[in-house]
């Protein structure tokens, strides 16, 4: 019995859609119930959020394309200004109307966009059904003018047309909401894929020359190694395609059959350990990795990016280390003077406390709260930083590294009262 059922759409299309979006049937069913029939007015705005590679963009594109619903799909990173964004929406509307040749559209203000949008939806092709405007990476809207986000949230009301705006983002709605208030969208959460979901999705890509059970056993081994450090579906699919040839070598040479999992595991285990060194980094290409596996060498033997003697930290981890160092060695009362452009007048005085006459580096680092660390981070990074799960995971990683270094030095940690400090020696150790 199919999981997706809706009286407004053909059963064959729903069955095909269900095969394209495995492990996301409940989310698709919810979206179909919100959309309703083609001619019905849907909810004015929908906000969909979830971590990276949770299927938000893929599910929305597949749903709209398979059911042939008129839609506009725009990535806000590519069209990073309000003018580029509004003009791209109007250009894609021309193809929705059935126009073969798309002409350039000039749209300078939001009033022009509303006027041109109403004209575009007045055609017969779009008059009797809902148009869906999907804005991927919608957190970029916060960098644009203050009226852009509220206008998209109530675009149905402004244009008096049957239109639904869908916002896709990796951060929660509370970080979007303007201080002045706005129309509240319908929020929907896409959870991360579980290990069972990843097993089912990755097993669908098995090569035709091998059985499905053989490839499923390989995916089970791959997830057993990488699931604790990598849950990104795209990265896992890349790793599965990259290492499958090495897994099949004993079968190709006739040394083992498809059911001899012990020999297959012994053959693939050292190569999966090598692949652990380059998860997410992509320091070498697929052809270089295949050549490395064939020669039996180490990743450091390749010339190019992988020949470096050190691994670069993630982009924001560098700034987090700098911010933590500044918070450890500078008093709280100096933050306003160091990190604000208009901090007011500073009264000069020769009075110094007794403990301030000694260098802060000799006194050692001081503890600081997480809020102060993030405040300093926002002030030293040029662009606006969204407090996503990636930022907090990097903070957790740095704190874990420091705790491990302190345990290695037999330092005593004070249990729940322990507060984070970052010393210069710790930064040098990380840099090495």
């Amino acid at each position: 019995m199919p999981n997706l059922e809706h009286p407004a759409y053909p059963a064959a299309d729903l069955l095909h859609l269900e095969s394209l979006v495995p492990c996301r049937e409940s989310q698709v069913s919810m979206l179909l119930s919100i959309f309703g029939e083609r001619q019905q007015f849907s909810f004015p705005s929908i906000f969909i959020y979830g971590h990276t590679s949770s299927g938000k963009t893929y599910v929305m594109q597949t749903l709209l394309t398979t059911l042939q619903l008129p839609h506009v799909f725009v990535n806000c990173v590519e069209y990073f200004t309000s003018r580029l964004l509004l003009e791209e929406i109007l250009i894609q509307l021309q193809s929705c109307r059935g126009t073969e040749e798309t002409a350039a559209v000039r749209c300078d203000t939001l009033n022009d966009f509303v006027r041109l949008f109403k004209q575009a939806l007045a055609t017969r092709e779009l008059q009797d059904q809902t148009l869906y405007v999907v804005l991927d990476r919608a957190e970029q809207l916060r960098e644009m003018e203050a009226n852009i986000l509220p206008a998209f949230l109530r675009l149905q009301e402004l244009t008096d047309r049957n239109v639904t705006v869908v916002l896709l983002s990796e951060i929660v709605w509370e970080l979007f909401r303007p201080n002045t208030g706005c129309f509240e969208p319908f929020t929907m959460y896409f959870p991360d894929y579980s290990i069972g979901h990843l097993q089912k999705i990755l097993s669908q890509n098995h090569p035709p020359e091998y059985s499905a059970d053989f490839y499923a056993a390989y995916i089970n081994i791959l997830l057993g190694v990488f699931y604790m450090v990598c849950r990104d579906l795209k990265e896992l699919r890349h790793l599965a395609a990259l290492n499958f040839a090495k897994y099949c070598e004993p079968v190709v040479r006739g040394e083992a059959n498809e059911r001899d999992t012990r020999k297959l595991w012994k053959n693939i285990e050292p190569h999966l350990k090598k692949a652990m060194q380059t998860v997410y980094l992509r320091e070498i290409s697929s052809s270089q990795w295949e050549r490395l596996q064939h020669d039996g060498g180490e990743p450091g033997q390749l010339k190019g990016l992988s020949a470096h003697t050190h691994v670069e930290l993630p982009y924001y981890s560098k700034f987090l280390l700098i911010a933590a160092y500044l918070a450890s060695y500078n008093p709280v009362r100096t933050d306003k003077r160091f990190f604000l452009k208009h901090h007011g007048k500073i009264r000069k005085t020769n009075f110094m406390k007794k403990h301030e006459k000694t260098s802060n580096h000799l006194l050692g680092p001081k503890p600081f709260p997480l809020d102060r660390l993030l405040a300093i981070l926002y002030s030293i990074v040029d662009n606006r930083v969204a407090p996503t799960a990636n930022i907090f995971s990097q903070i957790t990683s740095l704190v874990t590294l420091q705790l491990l270094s302190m345990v290695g030095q037999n330092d005593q940690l004070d249990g729940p009262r322990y507060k984070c400090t970052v010393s210069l020696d710790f930064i040098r150790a990380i840099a090495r």
Side-chain angles (χ1 to χ4, degrees):
M1 182 177 178
N3 294 323
L4 299 180
E5 294 181 355
H6 199 283
Y9 305 102
D13 292 343
L14 293 178
L15 189 62
H16 179 57
L17 176 63
E18 183 178 346
S19 65
L20 295 176
V21 288
C23 307
R24 283 290 180 254
E25 293 85 359
S26 60
Q27 286 76 19
V28 174
S29 179
M30 174 68 74
L31 288 172
L32 288 176
S33 62
I34 297 173
F35 290 173
E37 299 184 6
R38 294 175 180 268
Q39 70 276 8
Q40 292 177 341
F41 272 74
S42 180
F43 208 86
S45 54
I46 304 172
F47 181 81
I48 301 176
Y49 67 102
H51 287 168
T52 306
S53 296
S54 56
K56 304 181 297 296
T57 304
Y58 173 75
V59 167
M60 187 56 60
Q61 284 181 330
T62 306
L63 171 63
L64 297 175
T65 305
T66 305
L67 299 182
Q68 298 180 356
L69 300 175
H71 65 278
V72 172
F73 211 102
V74 182
N75 191 320
C76 296
V77 174
E78 298 179 11
Y79 305 94
F80 50 90
T81 65
S82 59
R83 177 180 173 182
L84 292 175
L85 179 64
L86 299 178
E87 289 179 354
E88 178 62 21
I89 294 174
L90 295 174
I91 290 173
Q92 291 192 27
L93 272 180
Q94 297 178 14
S95 60
C96 291
R97 291 183 301 175
T99 306
E100 296 182 357
E101 296 182 359
T102 57
V105 180
R106 184 173 182 83
C107 180
D108 295 324
T109 64
L110 191 59
N111 290 333
D112 294 338
F113 173 75
V114 173
R115 176 176 54 82
L116 296 173
F117 193 88
K118 293 172 66 175
Q119 293 177 2
L121 293 187
T123 59
R124 182 179 301 176
E125 294 83 1
L126 299 177
Q127 204 168 21
D128 299 331
Q129 52 185 331
T130 306
L131 173 71
Y132 299 94
V133 179
V134 184
L135 303 179
D136 195 10
R137 302 294 298 274
E139 58 268 12
Q140 299 297 322
L141 294 176
R142 304 184 304 165
E143 306 292 336
M144 301 180 187
E145 287 80 356
N147 62 339
I148 293 296
L149 178 59
F152 275 120
L153 292 176
R154 56 197 317 156
L155 187 61
Q156 187 180 104
E157 177 184 345
L158 293 175
T159 59
D160 195 21
R161 296 291 187 269
N162 190 1
V163 57
T164 296
V165 177
V166 183
L167 305 177
L168 306 179
S169 178
E170 296 180 5
I171 61 178
V172 297
W173 167 247
E174 284 72 20
L175 299 177
F176 273 81
R177 187 182 291 112
N179 296 329
T180 55
C182 64
F183 181 83
E184 293 290 325
F186 178 86
T187 58
M188 185 175 177
Y189 175 62
F190 270 51
D192 292 337
Y193 289 110
S194 65
I195 188 170
H197 292 162
L198 294 174
Q199 172 80 27
K200 181 179 179 181
I201 295 172
L202 294 174
S203 298
Q204 292 181 341
N205 301 327
H206 71 89
E209 60 270 18
Y210 295 99
S211 64
D213 294 338
F214 176 69
Y215 193 76
Y218 164 68
I219 294 298
N220 190 29
I221 291 174
L222 186 81
L223 291 176
V225 175
F226 289 99
Y227 183 73
M228 294 302 296
V229 297
C230 175
R231 304 187 183 185
D232 191 322
L233 179 59
K234 296 178 182 177
E235 187 72 19
L236 290 172
R237 183 178 283 121
H238 172 75
L239 291 170
L242 208 60
N243 296 283
F244 183 65
K246 196 66 180 180
Y247 181 74
C248 299
E249 276 187 357
V251 179
V252 174
R253 293 196 298 259
E255 299 175 357
N257 54 36
E258 293 187 359
R259 296 182 179 275
D260 197 350
T261 56
R262 184 177 181 82
K263 285 186 178 180
L264 296 174
W265 164 248
K266 283 188 176 182
N267 181 67
I268 194 65
E269 180 185 10
H271 301 279
L272 293 181
K273 289 182 178 180
K274 292 178 185 177
M276 286 279 287
Q277 302 175 17
T278 57
V279 175
Y280 291 116
L281 297 179
R282 301 284 178 89
E283 289 188 322
I284 58 178
S285 64
S286 300
S287 59
Q288 287 177 313
W289 178 252
E290 292 176 357
R291 194 184 318 122
L292 177 67
Q293 288 181 329
H294 183 268
D295 299 337
E298 295 292 333
Q301 295 176 0
L302 283 176
K303 295 181 180 180
L305 290 176
S306 59
H308 294 313
T309 57
H310 67 282
V311 177
E312 285 288 336
L313 288 173
Y315 178 75
Y316 288 116
S317 291
K318 301 176 183 179
F319 290 100
L320 282 169
L321 276 175
I322 296 173
Y325 176 73
L326 294 174
S328 295
Y329 285 99
N330 292 321
V332 179
R333 58 184 177 79
T334 61
D335 290 349
K336 183 178 179 181
R337 179 175 53 173
F338 290 157
F339 305 114
L340 288 182
K341 293 182 179 179
H342 306 287
H343 50 72
K345 295 182 179 179
I346 301 176
R347 184 175 60 180
K348 294 183 178 180
T349 177
N350 294 326
F351 173 76
M352 291 183 64
K353 296 181 180 179
K354 184 177 180 180
H355 67 274
E356 289 182 349
K357 294 181 180 180
T358 309
S359 173
N360 287 332
H361 289 85
L362 296 178
L363 295 174
K366 304 294 188 301
F368 57 88
L370 178 61
D371 294 340
R372 187 180 176 214
L373 171 68
L374 294 176
I376 296 177
L377 172 68
Y378 299 152
S379 63
I380 63 177
V381 178
D382 292 335
N383 53 348
R384 185 173 178 179
V385 184
T388 61
N390 293 330
I391 296 294
F392 290 103
S393 65
Q394 293 180 36
I395 295 175
T396 306
S397 300
L398 293 176
V399 173
T400 304
L401 285 174
Q402 187 190 11
L403 289 174
L404 291 175
S405 66
M406 295 180 68
V407 171
Q409 298 172 1
N410 295 325
D411 288 345
Q412 297 294 327
L413 302 182
D414 196 11
R417 291 179 294 172
Y418 170 74
K419 292 185 179 180
C420 182
T421 61
V422 174
S423 63
L424 187 59
D425 294 336
F426 174 68
I427 294 180
R428 288 172 179 167
I430 291 293
R432 286 198 296 268

